[in-house]
Amino acid sequence: MNSTSDHQNFRFAISLSILNHLGRKLYRNFTTVLGEAISNAWDADATSVWITIDRETSSFLIVDDGSGMDSDDFQNKLLTIGYSKRSAGTYTTLRGRPYIGCKGIGKLALLSCADRVTIISKKRNRDYIGGVIDNSDLDTAITQNLHPEQYLLEQPNFDFLSTLPVEHEQGTILWFENTKERIRNSVPYLRKLLAMSFRFSLLDEGFTIYVNNERVTTGDLESLTKATEFVWLLNDYEDELLEACQPLEIEHIELPSNLNVKGFLATVAKPRDLKIAGVDERATVDLFVNGRLREKHILRHIPTQRILDNYIYGQIHYDDMDVGGSDPFTSSREGIVEDNPEFRLLLQFLKQTALIKIRDEWDLFRLKRGKPGDDENPRKTKRARVAQELYVAASQEYALDNSAPERDQVQNWVEELREDAEFNISAYVDCFLSENLVRQYIQKHNIPLTSRAPRDIKEWKRKESRRKSEANISFDISQSTADLSYLDMDSLALTAEEAEDPTNVKTKPQSLWADAVVYKPLRNAVAHTSLLTNTAKQCLSVTFENIKARVKTIIGKKPP
């Protein structure tokens, strides 16, 4: 094999087309673009970021008061793809903030959403420097396969500095002209989105964001915080968003020692309360790393199809995911690499501990307040939950106006009746079904009545006639005036069981009639809206189980 003695120095050469793959075609979310600009301002030790939206011209301006750049920084840091602030082994700014930037490609997001992007910057007591990136010219340069050194940025026109929202002594200014899609989101919506996407104030209270000269605060999320019912804290988390919630219940979740996480999970009163007004977007459980939203709706990794999923939102802060030079973020910076071990550890904790506790306690808290909870929780049967919903709907009709002097007292009375009402509602349905099903059975098979039945029928008709006369009622009350409708469970049981077996039903251990004897006074108490003792409730529940089983046996077959 021949070899040449000439030594050749080979080196990498980067095509401008890499800007498409790493920036212009990778970032699709307008909020992600804002996020990169805000994060860059954070890394530059800015105290404020001003975002000015002009929907009429479909342009926007981002100004920060960070340390700014000189010509060397602009060329060798901003325009050098892959340059990372962490390359020298430094992970915090001069103010002690953790760096957000890691790969040195997030800045390419700035190229993704507008035809022209002007970037100018200055250090304190220095002149502005910068350039303009025209995406149509960049497309031409890529098509012609120009070397990066052959593509020069335009010189900026500094006249627009007179329109800045603040006096600007240092920092960086970004001006986006002719966004590729018109800025359809309203300013209030963007404020809400930014309020939900950044919690930098947890790390540095001096960092503020403004949109059209108004500061973004937790007040922009008032519709969400006011609707928050219950909160679960992770490691005694505190911040202004949580303070604005004023939940009815606050619980704590114990975390394993190997999971340095803080934050909160919360639930709202109604599923619609999670929706951000005016857009198809909902509050979700989101993951933050060093104050920036890194993974939205992390519960999508733990699908459950449980009703709680429609009520829950929260913020989980896991700064340990970005320590020691690790990089758990996707290239688009819009999510976490799913097989990241710290991320898997977090999901395991949520699935096996946190969500189990929250689902159970959420159901308990909701039931205490007479609201629908988790139908799959065995704490309460499905029929008991339905009875509760009926009670709640009915009790609301007895609510007095706020000005009524006895309003609170009446509310207390209604609340005191809750448990008994739910039991009696369910018990009455059992009474109604069991007795009417036996009547239907007797009627369908033309079963003759017992010898005692005529006497009972005559007595009930006499009472009804007298009471109708006293009430001056001339119309029929019951749908049927047939004799069978006047019999109670005693007579119905004897009639049905004698047809089934002519032997003495009173001595049979599985006799419906025997249970009906115990059932009668309890049934009458329920029908007369009495409040049953716990012993009576237990007795009626057991008796009902026997009666239902026996009724099903009788009506399920033809008489001999």
Side-chain angles (χ1 to χ4, degrees):
M1 179 181 294
N2 294 327
S3 62
T4 177
S5 59
D6 296 334
H7 178 72
Q8 300 184 45
N9 294 318
F10 295 101
R11 63 184 183 276
F12 283 107
I14 304 298
S15 168
L16 286 174
S17 63
I18 197 69
L19 300 179
N20 283 338
H21 304 300
L22 294 181
R24 297 199 299 170
K25 295 182 179 179
L26 189 59
Y27 296 87
R28 301 176 301 278
N29 190 312
F30 176 59
T31 308
T32 303
V33 176
L34 292 179
E36 288 299 334
I38 293 171
S39 295
N40 288 341
W42 169 267
D43 285 352
D45 275 335
T47 60
S48 298
V49 178
W50 294 268
I51 301 170
T52 303
I53 306 292
D54 188 341
R55 298 177 69 197
E56 294 300 319
T57 62
S58 199
S59 64
F60 62 98
L61 186 70
I62 302 177
V63 180
D64 72 55
D65 61 357
S67 57
M69 293 179 284
D70 57 20
S71 296
D72 183 69
D73 294 331
F74 197 90
Q75 178 61 58
N76 298 317
K77 295 181 180 179
L78 177 68
L79 296 182
T80 299
I81 309 307
Y83 169 80
S84 173
K85 310 175 188 72
R86 308 184 188 193
S87 57
T90 303
Y91 300 99
T92 60
T93 69
L94 293 178
R95 290 175 63 103
R97 296 173 176 173
Y99 276 131
I100 298 298
C102 181
K103 292 181 177 177
I105 62 173
K107 55 202 169 192
L108 297 180
L110 307 179
L111 306 180
S112 67
C113 66
D115 290 342
R116 288 172 58 84
V117 182
T118 299
I119 307 173
I120 62 175
S121 186
K122 65 172 292 190
K123 290 182 175 292
R124 182 175 289 273
N125 299 322
R126 303 283 291 275
D127 293 332
Y128 281 108
I129 54 91
V132 179
I133 302 171
D134 187 308
N135 273 298
S136 62
D137 291 344
L138 185 56
D139 285 336
T140 300
I142 292 173
T143 301
Q144 295 177 352
N145 201 27
L146 295 183
H147 192 275
E149 294 179 355
Q150 297 175 283
Y151 175 76
L152 302 179
L153 272 62
E154 292 182 26
Q155 286 298 309
N157 184 342
F158 294 102
D159 291 345
F160 79 94
L161 292 176
S162 61
T163 66
L164 294 184
V166 293
E167 292 290 332
H168 196 246
E169 297 182 353
Q170 66 181 54
T172 300
I173 302 169
L174 307 172
W175 183 25
F176 300 83
E177 300 175 79
N178 301 323
T179 57
K180 294 181 179 179
E181 291 187 19
R182 290 190 61 82
I183 304 174
R184 292 173 288 184
N185 297 326
S186 67
V187 170
Y189 162 71
L190 289 174
R191 293 174 58 84
K192 291 179 180 179
L193 213 56
L194 291 172
M196 294 178 63
S197 301
F198 297 95
R199 307 303 313 149
F200 286 144
S201 59
L202 292 175
L203 307 178
D204 187 339
E205 294 181 357
F207 188 81
T208 55
I209 302 172
Y210 297 84
V211 175
N212 287 11
N213 287 324
E214 291 187 25
R215 182 177 178 178
V216 175
T217 69
T218 56
D220 292 299
L221 302 176
E222 184 179 35
S223 61
L224 178 64
T225 57
K226 281 192 172 182
T228 299
E229 282 192 318
F230 317 122
V231 167
W232 289 264
L233 298 178
L234 306 175
N235 279 345
D236 297 323
Y237 174 81
E238 294 181 7
D239 84 339
E240 55 190 10
L241 177 64
L242 201 58
E243 292 172 0
C245 290
Q246 298 181 344
L248 299 171
E249 300 278 356
I250 299 180
E251 294 293 325
H252 295 259
I253 299 179
E254 183 177 349
L255 283 87
S257 58
N258 62 338
L259 190 62
N260 186 23
V261 168
K262 62 182 178 180
F264 73 94
L265 297 166
T267 56
V268 292
K270 298 177 181 178
R272 67 168 179 260
D273 294 327
L274 292 180
K275 191 174 187 302
I276 299 177
V279 295
D280 188 22
E281 180 118 12
R282 301 171 74 249
T284 53
V285 177
D286 303 330
L287 176 62
F288 290 73
V289 179
N290 289 328
R292 177 177 172 178
L293 175 62
R294 286 300 193 178
E295 176 86 11
K296 187 169 177 59
H297 189 26
I298 63 174
L299 294 190
R300 65 187 173 85
H301 298 280
I302 317 173
T304 64
Q305 302 299 319
R306 296 287 289 269
I307 190 171
L308 175 67
D309 298 347
N310 300 315
Y311 291 81
I312 193 169
Y313 78 98
Q315 296 185 355
I316 296 177
H317 296 261
Y318 196 5
D319 297 344
D320 283 0
M321 293 195 70
D322 189 20
V323 296
S326 65
D327 184 16
F329 312 118
T330 61
S331 295
S332 69
R333 326 310 282 166
E334 295 178 350
I336 304 292
V337 177
E338 288 195 29
D339 62 356
N340 176 267
E342 286 82 10
F343 188 50
R344 303 310 303 176
L345 183 64
L346 173 62
L347 294 180
Q348 181 182 13
F349 162 72
L350 290 174
K351 181 178 181 179
Q352 299 180 1
T353 303
L355 290 178
I356 292 175
K357 174 182 173 66
I358 291 173
R359 287 192 191 104
D360 189 61
E361 293 183 346
W362 178 76
D363 181 62
L364 177 63
F365 296 154
R366 294 276 293 187
L367 292 177
K368 282 183 178 179
R369 287 166 175 78
K371 295 184 177 181
D374 185 355
D375 289 344
E376 297 183 25
N377 192 304
R379 173 180 287 106
K380 209 165 191 175
T381 64
K382 183 176 181 180
R383 61 180 291 160
R385 293 177 186 273
V386 173
Q388 172 185 285
E389 292 178 16
L390 178 58
Y391 162 79
V392 170
S395 65
Q396 290 174 350
E397 299 181 12
Y398 290 89
L400 301 181
D401 294 336
N402 292 337
S403 58
E406 295 298 316
R407 177 178 178 274
D408 292 341
Q409 180 63 71
V410 171
Q411 280 187 324
N412 290 336
W413 289 342
V414 171
E415 184 60 32
E416 289 172 0
L417 291 171
R418 176 191 303 277
E419 183 178 341
D420 289 288
E422 293 173 8
F423 179 87
N424 283 24
I425 288 170
S426 179
Y428 177 78
V429 173
D430 277 328
C431 294
F432 179 87
L433 281 174
S434 60
E435 294 180 27
N436 277 288
L437 285 173
V438 175
R439 288 192 183 99
Q440 294 278 20
Y441 172 80
I442 293 171
Q443 184 177 17
K444 178 180 179 180
H445 295 291
N446 295 316
I447 298 172
L449 301 180
T450 62
S451 57
R452 62 171 273 184
R455 182 177 72 253
D456 293 339
I457 293 168
K458 182 177 179 181
E459 178 62 20
W460 279 112
K461 284 185 175 182
R462 183 185 65 78
K463 290 180 179 180
E464 181 185 64
S465 178
R466 175 172 58 81
R467 289 170 180 167
K468 287 176 61 177
S469 177
E470 292 171 351
N472 196 26
I473 292 177
S474 58
F475 54 82
D476 291 333
I477 296 176
S478 300
Q479 291 183 13
S480 173
T481 58
D483 289 348
L484 197 60
S485 65
Y486 290 92
L487 294 179
D488 58 15
M489 184 60 92
D490 285 24
S491 296
L492 293 171
L494 282 172
T495 300
E497 288 187 315
E498 284 189 353
E500 181 190 37
D501 185 352
T503 59
N504 190 352
V505 297
K506 296 183 181 181
T507 62
K508 294 172 62 176
Q510 74 276 26
S511 168
L512 176 61
W513 178 86
D515 288 312
V517 173
V518 179
Y519 158 84
K520 184 171 183 177
L522 301 172
R523 178 263 196 203
N524 290 345
V526 170
H528 294 146
T529 67
S530 297
L531 306 182
L532 275 61
T533 65
N534 288 334
T535 302
K537 289 178 182 178
Q538 293 172 4
C539 181
L540 183 56
S541 297
V542 172
T543 303
F544 263 142
E545 291 303 313
N546 293 335
I547 287 177
K548 283 185 284 187
R550 187 62 181 148
V551 167
K552 287 168 64 177
T553 298
I554 293 173
I555 66 177
K557 58 184 179 181
K558 292 184 178 181

